[in-house]
């Protein structure tokens, strides 16, 4: 019996940058997610299908077996916590960093002196909490789900913790990057039970991805 493999991807940069790795595994996605409204896409291999989920939901789908395998940003993995996930491979794709940014006229150095309080708006509350705890800075955390850049501009927060790649979005909103917290790339994640039950087909995909990932 052929074992079905479900791969969870998010639309956009992760989907686009995973395509060459899939090609190396001999898997071609047969529909363009930007043109189709389908959430389940067939591939050139009848036993492999792709499910499209929000980037932050990929770890959850794989954890509970809604997908056997997936590609998720390290940011999403840290916020999720990683329970039930095997993380065999850093794919080196969708690279960016998590940074602290403030308004250009805000005195960040003064604001983070020991014992101070800082109002931080972010989607990445776990990463932000750990980072400021290590620095000994008390934070009032404001959870947001998008458009973090707006928070310092409207007085909602003193600082944001967000993903930065070119820095153009910060610049366009008169924000400056004051600290880099960590580098981010996307990782392959596998459901721990599936890894045992579907070992052979999953290992083929993991190995093919591993040989296609550029080594640095
Ligand atoms: O967009 P949506 O709300 O649906 O979800 P998402 O933002 O979680 O997903 P998506 O597809 O945008 O990002 C998926 C993953 O790509 C993230 O989890 C990261 O691991 C990775 N990635 C790499 C990025 C970026 N680069 C990036 N630049 N994710 C988001 N951005 C954002 C950044 O926050 C900024 O607002 O893109 C904007 C532009 O960045 P600059 O610095 O190039 O201007
Ligand atoms: Mg986005």
């Amino acid at each position: 019996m052929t074992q079905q493999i479900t791969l969870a991807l998010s639309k956009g940069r992760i989907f686009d940058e995973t395509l060459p790795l899939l090609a190396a595994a001999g898997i071609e996605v047969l529909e363009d997610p930007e043109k189709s409204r389908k959430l389940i896409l067939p591939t050139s291999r009848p036993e492999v299908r792709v499910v499209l989920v929000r980037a932050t939901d990929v770890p959850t789908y794989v954890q509970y077996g809604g997908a056997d395998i997936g590609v998720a940003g390290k940011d999403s993995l840290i916020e999720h916590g990683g329970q039930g996930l095997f993380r065999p491979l850093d794919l080196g794709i969708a690279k960016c960093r998590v940074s602290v940014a403030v308004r250009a006229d805000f005195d960040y150095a003064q604001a983070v002196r020991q014992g101070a309080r800082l109002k931080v708006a972010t989607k990445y509350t776990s990463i932000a909490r750990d980072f400021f705890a290590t620095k000994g800075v008390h934070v009032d955390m404001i959870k947001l789900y998008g458009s973090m850049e707006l928070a310092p501009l409207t007085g909602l927060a003193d600082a944001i913790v967000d993903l930065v790649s070119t820095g153009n979005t910060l610049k366009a909103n008169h924000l400056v990057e004051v600290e880099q917290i960590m580098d981010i790339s996307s990782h392959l994640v596998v459901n721990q039970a599936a890894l045992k039950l579907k070992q052979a087909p999953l290992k083929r995909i993991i190995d093919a991805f591993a040989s296609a990932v550029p080594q640095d």
Side-chain angles (χ1 to χ4, degrees), residues 4-211:
Q4 295 293 316
I5 299 295
T6 301
L7 166 71
L9 294 177
S10 53
K11 269 208 245 186
R13 65 191 108 222
I14 288 186
F15 183 90
D16 298 343
E17 296 185 38
T18 302
L19 284 186
L21 301 173
L22 283 170
I27 301 167
E28 189 197 338
V29 184
L30 296 178
E31 272 179 75
D32 178 353
E34 300 303 333
K35 293 194 181 120
S36 159
R37 286 174 169 274
K38 285 189 190 167
L39 297 175
I40 301 182
L41 307 178
T43 74
S44 54
R45 293 248 299 270
E47 76 281 13
V48 180
R49 63 179 186 169
V50 170
V51 293
L52 296 174
V53 304
R54 282 292 289 265
T56 41
D57 291 335
V58 168
T60 307
Y61 267 81
V62 176
Q63 173 187 8
Y64 293 111
D68 301 300
I69 189 166
V71 176
K74 187 179 166 191
D75 47 311
S76 309
L77 286 169
I78 293 175
E79 294 297 325
H80 167 270
Q83 310 89 325
L85 301 177
F86 173 58
R87 205 167 112 175
L89 200 58
D90 181 349
L91 300 174
I93 61 169
K95 285 186 178 176
C96 57
R97 55 192 183 270
V98 187
S99 294
V100 182
V102 299
R103 275 168 59 148
D105 59 3
F106 181 77
D107 189 349
Y108 179 74
Q110 173 67 13
V112 298
R113 72 192 189 285
Q114 289 283 323
R117 290 196 84 82
L118 189 71
K119 261 197 288 178
V120 176
T122 186
K123 178 175 164 185
Y124 306 100
T125 50
S126 293
I127 294 173
R129 220 177 278 289
D130 278 6
F131 178 71
F132 286 110
T134 304
K135 286 174 74 77
V137 175
H138 297 286
V139 293
D140 296 315
M141 197 70 74
I142 302 169
K143 169 84 184 187
L144 291 178
Y145 293 88
S147 303
M148 260 81 83
E149 299 84 6
L150 205 50
L153 305 180
T154 54
L156 182 69
D158 303 316
I160 60 171
V161 168
D162 195 7
L163 302 177
V164 180
S165 64
T166 61
N168 290 339
T169 305
L170 292 181
K171 205 171 296 166
N173 291 292
H174 310 288
L175 299 176
V176 290
E177 190 177 5
V178 284
E179 299 214 59
Q180 300 193 359
I181 300 180
M182 67 173 76
D183 288 325
I184 297 292
S185 56
S186 284
H187 291 244
L188 198 59
V189 287
V190 185
N191 175 276
Q192 283 176 351
L195 192 62
K196 297 195 185 84
L197 297 168
K198 304 180 180 179
Q199 197 181 358
L202 284 174
K203 194 172 179 306
R204 272 198 296 277
I205 295 176
I206 297 167
D207 289 348
F209 272 42
S211 354

